[in-house]
Amino acid sequence: MNPLHSTAATNEHPVVVTRVAERQWHALDDDQVVGRGHTSPRPDGRVFLSIDAWHGAVFDRLADAMLTDLPRPLHTVVDEADLDQRSGWERIGFQVRRREREYLVPTDPELTGLHAVRPPSGVTVMPLGEAEDGPLRALDRAVRAEVGATVGWETMPAEVVPLPRGITVLDPSRYAVAARGDRYVGLVRLAPVPRQPRIGLIAVRADQQRHGIARALLAEVLGSLHRSGVAAASAEVDESNKAATALFEGLGSRLAGGNLELACR
């Protein structure tokens, strides 16, 4: 792309915005990098933008360049408490599309009420790292197909780690699963986030829901964290997902904040 110039910057030097790689843009002021833009394609096809710039004028120039280069729709995620960042994206045409609630989930079974929870009859819960690789990947594919055919993956948490094409289970040791006989029917993925683990995904096959499998999986995973000395885990839930909201709030989870997904179409 041709560089874009603007004198609205940190001083009298013109700001030059250049696409330096397939997914990266730099804003230069007198050969100094004063802002960066980046895109992250997600497995569900959404493309998310991020911009790191200290000054609003630099933010606007980077955003203008990226929106000129990229096809719509485009998405971004902001902390709902960061009003300045939100207003910056809204200023260039982004609108709130969905909200995610962030919960802190206690791990103590006496606090969650999971101390007496047992798997439903005929269901076995396998702790983190004990699932067989092949059946786990088959369950993951089945769950993704069911989500795609119903509520859609665009309702899932926006903050997901991009994975190589075709790979959705990166580390099987991070999963606990529920099995009915030799069929895997539910899973919990625990994301290894620094300082505090995050429940990255909890899912149960459509024909096995409403039998208590999700609670049994959480009882195993949260109980394991408690025994290892971890007091709480985090979880992100789309506010429109009433079942997930009721599940986590029923465990005594505390609302710790939230994110906004904004879109430009």
Side-chain angles (χ1 to χ4, degrees):
M1 116 186 177
N2 292 326
L4 298 176
H5 297 267
S6 171
T7 55
T10 59
N11 52 42
E12 295 305 317
H13 296 104
V15 168
V16 179
V17 177
T18 305
R19 189 171 188 170
V20 297
E22 180 183 1
R23 299 175 185 171
Q24 296 182 45
W25 289 254
H26 282 178
L28 299 177
D29 179 6
D30 194 25
D31 294 329
Q32 296 294 315
V33 177
V34 294
R36 294 179 174 85
H38 184 265
T39 64
S40 299
R42 306 298 170 92
D44 60 12
R46 288 176 293 172
V47 175
F48 280 75
L49 276 59
S50 62
I51 294 177
D52 180 17
W54 285 101
H55 297 276
V58 177
F59 177 97
D60 289 351
R61 296 305 294 164
L62 277 164
D64 183 56
M66 296 173 78
L67 266 61
T68 298
D69 283 356
L70 298 169
R72 314 290 176 88
L74 296 167
H75 305 259
T76 194
V77 176
V78 301
D79 186 321
E80 66 178 2
D82 192 335
L83 300 182
D84 288 341
Q85 189 180 38
R86 175 179 173 178
S87 65
W89 288 105
E90 291 180 332
R91 187 171 62 246
I92 60 174
F94 280 73
Q95 297 180 338
V96 175
R97 179 180 172 275
R98 55 191 289 271
R99 287 177 169 84
E100 294 174 359
R101 297 178 180 178
E102 182 177 354
Y103 289 102
L104 283 181
V105 189
T107 62
D108 187 339
E110 297 298 327
L111 297 177
T112 61
L114 297 176
H115 57 284
V117 169
R118 299 293 181 269
S121 177
V123 173
T124 301
V125 172
M126 304 170 68
L128 292 166
E130 293 191 9
E132 295 182 28
D133 186 78
L136 172 60
R137 294 181 187 277
L139 171 62
D140 181 78
R141 290 192 296 270
V143 165
R144 288 175 179 275
E146 289 179 351
V147 171
T150 53
V151 296
W153 276 97
E154 65 273 9
T155 65
M156 295 296 104
E159 291 293 348
V160 297
V161 177
L163 298 175
R165 183 177 297 275
I167 297 177
T168 55
V169 176
L170 190 61
D171 183 359
S173 71
R174 310 305 304 181
Y175 289 77
V177 302
R180 186 179 292 279
D182 59 358
R183 180 191 180 210
Y184 286 6
V185 296
L187 60 82
V188 169
R189 183 182 74 235
L190 195 66
V193 178
R195 296 185 300 278
Q196 188 168 69
R198 186 180 79 239
I199 299 170
L201 175 66
I202 179 167
V204 177
R205 291 293 305 267
D207 63 348
Q208 298 293 319
Q209 294 176 5
R210 302 185 183 279
H211 295 296
I213 293 176
R215 284 176 60 84
L217 281 163
L218 285 173
E220 166 59 38
V221 171
L222 293 174
S224 175
L225 290 173
H226 180 66
R227 291 189 293 273
S228 67
V230 176
S234 64
E236 295 168 350
V237 178
D238 188 304
E239 70 171 6
S240 67
N241 189 335
K242 304 303 182 184
T245 298
L247 174 63
F248 282 105
E249 291 185 350
L251 300 177
S253 302
R254 176 172 63 86
L255 188 62
N259 295 316
L260 301 175
E261 179 186 335
L262 291 82
C264 181
R265 301 186 181 279

